[in-house]
Amino acid sequence: MSNFESTVSTKNTLIKFYQDWCGHCKNMKPAYDQLSSEYSDDSNVVIADVNCGTEPELCEANEVTGYPTIKYWVKGSENSYNLGRDYSSLKDFVSSTLIIKCDINSSAQTCSDKALKYIAKMSMKSNEDVDNEVKRLEGMEGNSMKAELKNWLKERLGILKQLRGDKEL
């Protein structure tokens, strides 16, 4: 990963450090690959892995002593990941910790221009219209779609739930 420093300093990043011979690494590979694939088009989050057999200097610099070692960076700050290694645990962690959520109360700092336009549009709608849009989008969540569209769907749901005043987003 030749662009390691620039990536972890500018994007929220989850990195698995591994060795080819490691049994635990091999066991978690399908879940990690699925997660990586799901976020491959996300412009704010990077899911990557580093082979310590081919990049020992990078692993040493990151104080990797066992395999797999999973670390994450939020706003350039390094942290150790010590939760589950199954897909569901990894996905929940990325969703709750690494995804930059659009907060309608500080929208200028956290929301894209596209999201700001959506907030303006939906803020003018009635509560019933917002509820209907939430139901419509929730009905689409399980559908097959490109990662970029799925991320936009999730962002819209988050915005609508904030407009509706939901406590859990």
Side-chain angles (χ1 to χ4, degrees), residues 114-125 159 163:
K114 185 176 181 180
L116 291 172
K117 289 176 185 171
Y118 188 72
I119 291 167
K121 173 184 165 187
M122 295 310 292
S123 294
M124 305 304 293
K125 303 282 184 176
I159 290 167
L163 288 172

Side-chain angles (χ1 to χ4, degrees), residues 50-110:
V50 173
N51 183 337
C52 293
T54 60
E55 300 197 52
E57 299 84 13
L58 186 55
C59 296
E60 186 176 318
N62 284 281
E63 301 175 356
V64 175
T65 57
Y67 307 102
T69 293
I70 303 172
K71 295 189 176 196
Y72 66 98
W73 285 257
V74 175
K75 297 179 183 175
S77 178
E78 177 185 336
N79 303 274
S80 292
Y81 174 87
N82 296 309
L83 300 172
R85 295 179 178 182
D86 60 287
Y87 172 77
S88 180
S89 297
L90 291 163
K91 168 86 170 126
D92 289 347
F93 175 78
V94 170
S95 295
S96 66
T97 307
L98 300 182
I99 294 292
I100 297 172
K101 295 173 180 68
C102 176
D103 179 351
I104 64 171
N105 296 316
S106 59
S107 56
Q109 293 86 20
T110 62

Side-chain angles (χ1 to χ4, degrees), residues 10-153:
T10 60
K11 297 183 183 249
N12 290 348
T13 308
L14 183 71
I15 298 181
K16 175 186 71 172
F17 296 90
Y18 72 99
Q19 285 278 5
D20 287 331
W21 49 259
C22 167
H24 293 294
C25 302
K26 290 177 185 176
N27 288 340
M28 78 172 291
K29 183 175 178 16
Y32 203 81
D33 287 352
Q34 180 182 357
L35 184 74
S36 179
S37 176
E38 184 167 337
Y39 288 97
S40 64
D41 293 329
D42 195 294
S43 60
N44 298 307
V45 175
V46 174
I47 311 295
D49 50 20
V50 173
N51 183 337
C52 293
T54 60
E55 300 197 52
E57 299 84 13
L58 186 55
C59 296
E60 186 176 318
N62 284 281
E63 301 175 356
V64 175
T65 57
Y67 307 102
T69 293
I70 303 172
K71 295 189 176 196
Y72 66 98
W73 285 257
V74 175
K75 297 179 183 175
S77 178
E78 177 185 336
N79 303 274
S80 292
Y81 174 87
N82 296 309
L83 300 172
R85 295 179 178 182
D86 60 287
Y87 172 77
S88 180
S89 297
L90 291 163
K91 168 86 170 126
D92 289 347
F93 175 78
V94 170
S95 295
S96 66
T97 307
L98 300 182
I99 294 292
I100 297 172
K101 295 173 180 68
C102 176
D103 179 351
I104 64 171
N105 296 316
S106 59
S107 56
Q109 293 86 20
T110 62
C111 302
S112 66
D113 288 341
K114 185 176 181 180
L116 291 172
K117 289 176 185 171
Y118 188 72
I119 291 167
K121 173 184 165 187
M122 295 310 292
S123 294
M124 305 304 293
K125 303 282 184 176
S126 70
N127 289 342
E128 183 179 351
D129 288 341
V130 171
D131 287 343
N132 287 338
E133 183 68 357
V134 168
K135 288 176 190 165
R136 185 183 79 79
L137 293 174
E138 285 176 341
M140 295 170 58
E141 277 187 299
N143 295 352
S144 177
M145 62 185 79
K146 291 182 179 181
E148 184 178 334
L149 290 175
K150 188 166 281 288
N151 289 337
W152 175 232
L153 183 141

